Amino acid sequence: MASPFEVLEIDPDASAAELRRAYRERVIEAHPDHGGSATEFQRVREAYAAAKAGRELEAPPEREELDEESEPDDEPDGARVEYLNYAVLDDHGWDVGDADLFGKANDADLDPVNYGKFLVQPGESLLEAAENRGFAWPYACRGGACANCAVALVEGELEMPADTILPPKMKASGIRLSCNGIPITDEMKVIYNIKHLPGLDELRLPPRPFEQAHASD
């Protein structure tokens, strides 16, 4: 198995600053929005965690899921998010407005990339929470200035500290940005990867121009 430093393409004796810089460059390259893959994206994140901890790479941990049978007293802090990938709707003949869309998704035995649940820890944005659990959701600027990371709220609410792109009409219809959207409800249902919805195309930005900003900040 490759060492974490090989995955990050950096020398084992690199400084902490050099390690952070290498990680920022590699995680952008590995993201699907930049031509990478979800598998490589997760591998880079695991390599960075291993390098910081001074250990070798391990087998991927189990994906964090919510325990449906946990007692109320055992429930962790944070927001419980049920997510669905917009890209699979056409394959199943579903529509964003279907009344029991998430019930259908739950019964369809979808891959975890396309449907599932996770916990957003206090202080995490929705995008950060997805990435911290090994998922590669779309994004570009991470600053509320484009719609690449947009999600559709079916249930619950996100608070966006910065948003210079979404028209009031879209926000009224439940469109939010996951890059800086912080859950403010305990339960949420979101459809992610909606960047190709009608009306959002002109609000998107190509990921590539932001590579240098992320790599050198």
Side-chain angles (χ1 to χ4, degrees):
M1 180 178 292
S3 79
F5 297 98
E6 289 176 8
V7 174
L8 295 171
E9 300 177 358
I10 193 171
D11 291 334
D13 60 353
S15 67
E18 291 171 331
L19 180 61
R20 286 194 300 271
R21 190 177 305 113
Y23 168 68
R24 289 173 179 173
E25 293 173 352
R26 287 288 292 119
V27 81
I28 290 171
E29 294 171 354
H31 197 283
D33 275 9
H34 296 273
S37 68
T39 300
E40 181 65 8
F41 177 82
Q42 184 172 359
R43 186 166 177 256
V44 170
R45 291 183 65 87
E46 291 168 355
Y48 180 58
K52 286 199 304 179
R55 57 177 171 78
E56 294 298 313
L57 281 172
E58 301 173 354
E62 291 289 326
R63 181 171 65 89
E64 179 180 351
E65 292 191 5
L66 301 177
D67 182 358
E68 297 290 346
E69 298 181 359
S70 62
E71 295 296 326
D73 291 344
D74 297 330
E75 291 183 358
D77 292 332
R80 294 169 172 265
V81 174
E82 189 173 0
Y83 63 88
L84 177 63
N85 186 354
Y86 177 74
V88 305
L89 268 61
D90 281 346
D91 296 339
H92 295 270
W94 300 337
D95 184 79
V96 172
D98 287 352
D100 193 29
L101 179 59
F102 279 77
K104 295 175 182 177
N106 185 57
D107 295 337
D109 194 28
L110 297 173
D111 184 279
V113 169
N114 295 318
Y115 170 76
K117 302 173 185 178
F118 58 71
L119 188 74
V120 181
Q121 300 289 347
E124 282 185 321
S125 71
L126 182 58
L127 179 62
E128 287 172 338
E131 291 179 339
N132 288 339
R133 283 137 193 86
F135 300 114
W137 287 14
Y139 78 92
C141 73
R142 289 184 182 269
C146 74
N148 294 49
C149 70
V151 298
L153 293 179
V154 176
E155 181 180 303
E157 183 58 278
L158 285 173
E159 181 179 59
M160 297 181 296
D163 163 33
T164 61
I165 194 71
L166 293 178
K169 194 174 195 179
M170 283 191 176
K171 287 189 278 191
S173 68
I175 305 300
R176 300 289 186 273
L177 303 179
S178 66
C179 70
N180 61 13
I182 306 294
I184 56 175
T185 54
D186 293 336
E187 305 280 343
M188 292 188 63
K189 292 181 180 178
V190 302
I191 303 171
Y192 80 95
N193 195 26
I194 65 166
K195 57 186 179 180
H196 294 296
L197 270 178
L200 287 178
D201 277 352
E202 62 269 26
L203 304 180
R204 290 167 46 224
L205 291 172
R208 188 61 59 182
F210 294 90
E211 180 171 343
Q212 284 305 112
H214 283 284
S216 60
D217 62 3

